[in-house]
Amino acid sequence: MSEPLIFHFDVDGDNFTSAGQASVTIKKDLRRLGLSSEIIRRVSIAMYEGEINMVIHAGGGVADVRVFEEYIEIVLTDRGPGISNIDQAMQEGFSTAPDAIRSLGFGAGMGLPNMKRYTDDMKIETVVGEGTTITMRVNLT
Amino acid sequence: MKISTIKELLDASVLCSEEHINRHVYSACGSDMMSDVLAFVKDQAVLLTGLVNSQVIRTAEMMDMVCIVFVRSKTPSEEMLRLAEECGIVVLKTDKRMYEACGVLFANGLIGNKVRRE
Ligand SMILES: Nc1ncnc2c1ncn2[C@@H]1O[C@H](COP(=O)(O)OP(=O)(O)OP(=O)(O)O)[C@@H](O)[C@H]1O
Ligand SMILES: [Mg+2]
């Protein structure tokens, strides 16, 4: 089995305007690999939602994307406040985003459900007060 | 529906990527909440929004959308237009409010707005 292609990004938690840049870059990189537009769209939307979450809820973090022969893995890690109730957070419409974030177009409570919808597998590991790691997979075969 | 038709129907001005004005659009989505937009997958869609920041352009880019219409005379920044130009997204601006802009396009046959569910 060949080695995966690895992409690494630091996601700046202080800059809302630049949030999403890692996902834009991944989208371009995946295009260059010649993957289908459907796969590219699913990976980049899921990563974009996760990236925005790290910026608005967790003060930034890191994103790692690995492209294997059979799947793409996206790992988002932050040292934010953690998620106290994952089941609740996964519900469509649940959001703790303040009005300031809503006026920026986020806080519909759709991000995590979208990430689940667009990927084949999603795992959330979180410790309140320590941070959150979200691992997603999109199958290529 | 062609983007040029949308421009006429909404009495809109073209802010960038005018060279793609003859592209076709098959569905539309009107929202100020970006994750609502991201829940919606359709090829060659147009986004109508009253929200103005860079994330609108990125959201459209993630979704492979071909056109963004800013309603209520909202004006995007130079930086936003540069981002849109880079990915070939046509940006329009109309005086119409969201309700009317969506209604006009819908009445003229631009329907189809399906949320993908597992
Ligand atoms: N990385 C994270 N760290 C801490 N809390 C998080 C994180 N990601 C999500 N959450 C919590 O889970 C809730 C739901 O997240 P989700 O992405 O579904 O909605 P949202 O970000 O509030 O709104 P939207 O994604 O629609 O803009 C958030 O409001 C927040 O409380
Ligand atoms: Mg979110």
Side-chain angles (χ1 to χ4, degrees):
Chain A
M1 210 189 110
S2 58
E3 292 287 302
L5 268 171
I6 301 175
F7 302 91
H8 175 84
F9 303 91
D10 291 313
V11 177
D12 182 358
D14 298 322
N15 191 342
F16 175 78
T17 306
S18 69
Q21 261 168 9
S23 308
V24 169
T25 307
I26 272 297
K27 185 153 191 164
K28 288 184 182 137
D29 289 334
L30 296 182
R31 271 210 196 104
R32 225 169 284 132
L33 294 180
L35 295 167
S36 77
S37 56
E38 158 89 7
I39 293 283
I40 295 175
R41 184 153 61 190
R42 286 170 58 203
V43 169
S44 48
I45 292 174
M47 177 159 161
Y48 178 67
E49 289 280 17
E51 200 185 339
I52 295 281
N53 276 356
M54 289 201 296
V55 174
I56 64 181
H57 303 299
V62 293
D64 288 286
V65 178
R66 294 185 191 84
V67 182
F68 294 88
E69 233 157 276
E70 291 177 347
Y71 60 90
I72 296 178
E73 183 182 72
I74 308 154
V75 183
L76 304 165
T77 306
D78 67 62
R79 304 205 162 277
I83 301 172
S84 57
N85 185 335
I86 294 179
D87 288 341
Q88 192 180 37
M90 286 302 301
Q91 280 170 24
E92 291 193 0
F94 177 82
S95 174
T96 60
D99 285 348
I101 294 297
R102 285 175 183 272
S103 66
L104 294 172
F106 291 89
M110 291 298 289
L112 289 173
N114 280 349
M115 287 155 74
K116 182 156 180 70
R117 186 178 300 136
Y118 287 118
T119 56
D120 293 304
D121 188 58
M122 173 166 141
K123 189 176 76 194
I124 303 179
E125 293 156 288
T126 183
V127 178
V128 173
E130 286 183 19
T132 303
T133 297
I134 298 185
T135 306
M136 295 177 282
R137 259 188 201 200
V138 171
N139 294 333
L140 295 176
T141 47
Chain B
M1 180 181 288
K2 275 191 175 183
I3 298 176
S4 54
T5 309
I6 295 177
K7 173 188 184 286
E8 276 163 40
L9 288 171
L10 299 183
D11 206 3
S13 47
V14 184
L15 302 184
C16 80
S17 309
E18 185 143 25
E19 68 273 23
H20 299 309
I21 193 108
N22 285 320
R23 283 203 180 148
H24 284 268
V25 159
Y26 297 102
S27 59
C29 178
S31 181
D32 290 350
M33 296 304 266
M34 292 303 106
S35 291
D36 270 344
V37 177
L38 290 159
F40 153 102
V41 180
K42 273 277 180 169
D43 270 323
Q44 287 177 270
V46 52
L47 169 62
L48 294 97
T49 188
L51 180 75
V52 188
N53 63 44
S54 308
Q55 302 308 339
V56 175
I57 314 288
R58 294 222 176 86
T59 296
E61 185 180 357
M62 291 303 124
M63 303 289 291
D64 300 316
M65 286 174 152
V66 294
C67 178
I68 301 171
V69 180
F70 287 102
V71 297
R72 277 182 273 135
S73 313
K74 293 286 173 71
T75 307
S77 67
E78 286 297 317
E79 170 66 6
M80 289 173 63
L81 292 178
R82 198 186 54 75
L83 285 176
E85 184 96 54
E86 233 177 69
C87 35
I89 297 174
V90 182
V91 177
L92 304 179
K93 171 180 150 175
T94 176
D95 291 341
K96 294 194 195 310
R97 303 185 132 256
M98 178 75 101
Y99 180 75
E100 190 187 349
C102 293
V104 167
L105 297 186
F106 193 94
N108 280 277
L110 187 61
I111 44 177
N113 174 342
K114 215 169 92 196
V115 177
R116 179 183 153 182
R117 305 258 170 208
E118 293 293 80

